[in-house]
Structure formats: structure tokens, C-alpha cells
């Protein structure tokens, strides 16, 4: 029993912690820090880019739109929405990447390019805290009292099961012990006539 209570307490604590992390506030930063790799030369370069500013890295042009971090009291989570384009040899611009980058997981949503690789390192310079909307717990609707049945509802409907009109009659009580069971009545026998075989026979032909 004690083990079950401990397990329930741990599950409740984990749920509360998850809800708190989902509702944590974010810090909006004006500058994003990236690292870039040239796969041909093997050189890694770190550089800073301001939000909504476009920089050139090799043949790629990248523009961070936002860069968020968490307060120090929260679990670190640095993210940035980045748009990356490439200038082709034919003069056309091709979009290479448009999405979120995560500093904790560089390979989760990375740039797929045969020559260059860019990933988010950090966000800096932010003081503006953006409050996340809190989840509103909806209250369940009130439970309506059960309506009492009226006599009209008790009337049988066509096709329904009808209750017997008369209650079952009780069985007669058993005879007391030690008494003989009553014998069935025999039908009264009519007295038979005793015909005298020696009596004369009367001829009715006369």
C-alpha cells in the first residue's frame, strides 16, 4: 500500500513539473549566435547575427527572425527561427531552409547542404520577457439532479412487458406432522340388484 502511494505521488509530481515547463516564460533576444562549417576546408566559424539582419556565409544567405531563451530559473531552451537561401550560379535564389533551430539539438532541424552546415549556438542581449498564456482548466458542468418518475411514466407502453394483474396466491399451509394425509374420496357405488337365478322366466310373447 505504501508503494502505491509513493508511485502515485511521483506521477503527480512529474505531471506538475511538465505543466510548469510548458507554461514557462521566454526571453526575446536581439542577437543570435551561430557556428558554420565549410565541409570542403573543414573550417568552423562562429558569428553573430542580429534579428532580421541578413549575412553571407559562403554561398548561403541567412536571416534569423526571432531568438528565444528561457529565464535562469527555468530549464535552458534556446531556439531561433531562421531562413536560409542560396544564390545559384544561374543567378536564381533558392530557399535552402526555413524553420526552427535548437541549440540543444543541432541535428534535429539542420540545414541539408552538400558544402555548408550552420547550427544555432546561443541567443544574447535579451531583457524582454514574453509571458506565455496560461492553460485554463475548464470546470466540469454541474450535475443535474435526477428527475423523479411520475405515475404517467409507470404506465405500460404498447409492446412492453406487462406486470401480472393479480399477485401470486400463497400456497396452502402444510399439514402438521403426525397426521395422516387425507384420502381421496371414492365415488359412491350404486347397489347392485341380486337376481335370483331360480326365478321363473316370464314370457312376454303372449
Amino acid at each position: 500500500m505504501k508503494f502505491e502511494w509513493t508511485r502515485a505521488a511521483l506521477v503527480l509530481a512529474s505531471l506538475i513539473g511538465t505543466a510548469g515547463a510548458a507554461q514557462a516564460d521566454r526571453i526575446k533576444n536581439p542577437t543570435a549566435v551561430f557556428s558554420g562549417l565549410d565541409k570542403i576546408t573543414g573550417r568552423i566559424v562562429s558569428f553573430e547575427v542580429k534579428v532580421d539582419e541578413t549575412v553571407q556565409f559562403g554561398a548561403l544567405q541567412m536571416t534569423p527572425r526571432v531568438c528565444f531563451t528561457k529565464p535562469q530559473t527555468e530549464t535552458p531552451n534556446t531556439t531561433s527561427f531562421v531562413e536560409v537561401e542560396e544564390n545559384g550560379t544561374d543567378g536564381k535564389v533558392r530557399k535552402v531552409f526555413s524553420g526552427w533551430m535548437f541549440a540543444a539539438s543541432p541535428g534535429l532541424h539542420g540545414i541539408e547542404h552538400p558544402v555548408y552546415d550552420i547550427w544555432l549556438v546561443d541567443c544574447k542581449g535579451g531583457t524582454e520577457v514574453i509571458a506565455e498564456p496560461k492553460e485554463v482548466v475548464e470546470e466540469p458542468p454541474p450535475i443535474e439532479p435526477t428527475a423523479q418518475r411520475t405515475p404517467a411514466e409507470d404506465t405500460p407502453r404498447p409492446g412492453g412487458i406487462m406486470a401480472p394483474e393479480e399477485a401470486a396466491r400463497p400456497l396452502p399451509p402444510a399439514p402438521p406432522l403426525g397426521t395422516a394425509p387425507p384420502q381421496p374420496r371414492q365415488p359412491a357405488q350404486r347397489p347392485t340388484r341380486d337376481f335370483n337365478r331360480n326365478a321363473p322366466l316370464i314370457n312376454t310373447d303372449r
Side-chain angles (χ1 to χ4, degrees):
M1 186 67 180
K2 184 178 180 180
F3 175 75
E4 295 295 334
W5 278 106
T6 304
R7 183 178 180 182
L10 292 176
V11 173
L12 180 60
S14 63
L15 292 176
I16 295 176
T18 304
Q23 298 177 0
D25 299 335
R26 298 183 297 178
I27 299 177
K28 185 177 180 181
N29 298 270
T31 305
V33 182
F34 297 93
S35 289
L37 169 65
D38 188 333
K39 298 179 182 179
I40 297 177
T41 61
R43 183 183 178 185
I44 298 177
V45 180
S46 296
F47 52 94
E48 298 180 0
V49 186
K50 293 183 179 180
V51 173
D52 293 332
E53 179 185 2
T54 303
V55 296
Q56 185 87 20
F57 180 75
L60 302 181
Q61 293 182 352
M62 60 177 304
T63 306
R65 297 302 180 184
V66 291
C67 199
F68 294 126
T69 55
K70 292 290 185 180
Q72 296 182 356
T73 56
E74 303 292 341
T75 304
N77 187 15
T78 303
T79 59
S80 178
F81 190 87
V82 185
E83 295 178 353
V84 182
E85 296 177 344
E86 181 182 14
N87 294 323
T89 55
D90 54 356
K92 296 182 179 180
V93 179
R94 181 175 63 91
K95 182 171 290 187
V96 177
F97 177 80
S98 179
W100 291 94
M101 290 186 178
F102 304 90
S105 303
L108 184 59
H109 293 288
I111 297 175
E112 297 181 359
H113 193 272
V115 180
Y116 304 103
D117 191 9
I118 301 174
W119 61 92
L120 177 67
V121 176
D122 196 5
C123 298
K124 57 187 298 186
T127 57
E128 180 183 356
V129 178
I130 301 176
E132 292 291 332
K134 307 300 181 182
E135 296 181 0
V136 179
V137 180
E138 297 182 359
E139 296 182 359
I143 300 176
E144 298 181 358
T146 305
Q148 297 182 356
R149 300 180 62 182
T150 59
E153 297 178 357
D154 294 335
T155 56
R157 297 181 179 178
I161 300 176
M162 302 293 292
E165 297 181 357
E166 297 182 0
R169 298 180 179 179
L171 297 175
L177 297 176
T179 59
Q183 298 296 330
R185 296 180 59 184
Q186 298 294 334
Q189 297 182 358
R190 298 178 62 183
T192 58
R193 295 180 180 180
D194 188 7
F195 293 99
N196 191 355
R197 296 181 178 178
N198 297 326
L201 179 64
I202 299 174
N203 190 2
T204 57
D205 291 339
R206 291 179 183 180

